[in-house]
Amino acid sequence: MSYSVVIPAWNAARTIAETLRSVAAQSVVPAEIFVVDDGSSDETEATVLQSGIPVRYVRQDNAGPGSATTRGFALATAPLIATVDADDLWLPQKVERQLRRLDQAPQLAAVFTLWRTFRHGQPDDGTGTAGPGWSRTTMLVRREVALAVGPVIDPPGNRGDMVDWLGRAREDGHQLGMIDEVLALRRILPGSMSYGRDPARDRGYLEVARMAMLRRKLKNAGQG
């Protein structure tokens, strides 16, 4: 099946061209690529449009990566949607492996992969920390599921949006699969939204936990 790619981007001029090249280099090429610029103030737009890669560039006022991802979900037309953060990379056979898994396991709503860290400005040498990538960068999801789960909500600090979204997907009964192979690379980039610990940004994780507890409480009350 064909797939759309959604890339939320905010001040990503340093990295997004490399991200786009990794998407374009997939052994199964995407049907369409959407870059949703979340109100960047740098040269993100020019970098995307000068990349030489066919892209649908969409700009919105700054609202957070979840909002930009949700906008991309609404725009995508292929039956599957792959997402990636604008500073991360895919290895060439990532989507091909995921398409194969979905074909073998039609009960799965989405498939994820392992990912490995690398440092910005240094080539990936295969020695970075690897682990399960329950993340935007590794997700290939059925479009109808993405729309059914609903918007990707931006918590305070813009951290934890995908933790919340995946939690809601599981609560709705959707099965998520993990491929035990490193097929994506997570960039360690000082100054990025996910870099290091930050008490203000990390408040998002607490809010995600609070919302999950509230949903469970309401569900239990409804069953009482």
Side-chain angles (χ1 to χ4, degrees):
M1 291 194 292
S2 65
Y3 68 101
S4 305
V5 178
V6 172
I7 308 174
W10 179 76
N11 288 349
R14 289 180 293 176
T15 61
I16 195 166
E18 191 176 4
T19 299
L20 285 170
R21 287 194 292 270
S22 78
V23 169
Q26 290 299 295
S27 55
V28 178
V29 298
E32 55 191 6
I33 303 171
F34 294 93
V35 173
V36 183
D37 188 334
D38 189 44
S40 295
S41 58
D42 67 354
E43 298 301 316
T44 294
E45 179 177 4
T47 303
V48 169
L49 298 181
Q50 294 170 11
S51 68
I53 296 168
V55 169
R56 288 188 59 184
Y57 172 86
V58 180
R59 184 177 176 86
Q60 66 177 28
D61 292 338
N62 181 254
S67 172
T69 303
T70 303
R71 180 84 176 272
F73 285 169
L75 293 169
T77 63
L80 299 168
I81 302 174
T83 52
V84 56
D85 284 333
D87 53 358
D88 292 336
L89 305 175
W90 289 347
L91 299 184
Q93 292 187 313
K94 171 190 176 289
V95 175
E96 179 182 348
R97 297 275 201 276
Q98 291 177 296
L99 291 170
R100 187 180 306 163
R101 176 63 61 85
L102 285 175
D103 184 58
Q104 296 168 344
Q107 76 277 11
L108 294 178
V111 176
F112 299 77
T113 79
L114 304 187
W115 62 354
R116 183 173 61 238
T117 60
F118 75 104
R119 293 194 172 275
H120 179 64
Q122 301 177 16
D124 169 55
D125 60 5
T127 63
T129 302
W134 296 108
S135 72
R136 183 173 15 244
T137 287
T138 68
M139 182 170 73
L140 180 69
V141 62
R142 300 186 192 277
R143 180 176 179 271
E144 69 269 20
V145 173
L147 297 178
V149 174
V152 183
I153 299 169
D154 289 291
N158 288 334
R159 287 186 178 180
D161 59 322
M162 289 302 296
V163 175
D164 173 71
W165 194 86
L166 293 175
R168 285 157 45 210
R170 292 186 177 98
E171 290 168 12
D172 289 347
H174 298 295
Q175 295 185 44
L176 310 179
M178 174 65 65
I179 296 176
D180 190 24
E181 182 179 358
V182 173
L183 293 169
L185 302 176
R186 181 189 180 203
R187 187 187 302 267
I188 304 301
L189 177 62
S192 68
M193 285 197 297
S194 62
Y195 180 77
R197 297 271 60 86
D198 183 314
R201 291 178 175 176
D202 287 348
R203 287 187 302 129
Y205 296 121
L206 296 176
E207 179 63 14
V208 165
R210 188 191 71 79
M211 290 189 295
M213 292 176 62
L214 179 60
R215 288 195 300 272
R216 285 195 293 270
K217 183 177 179 179
L218 292 174
K219 181 178 180 181
N220 293 335
Q223 294 173 347

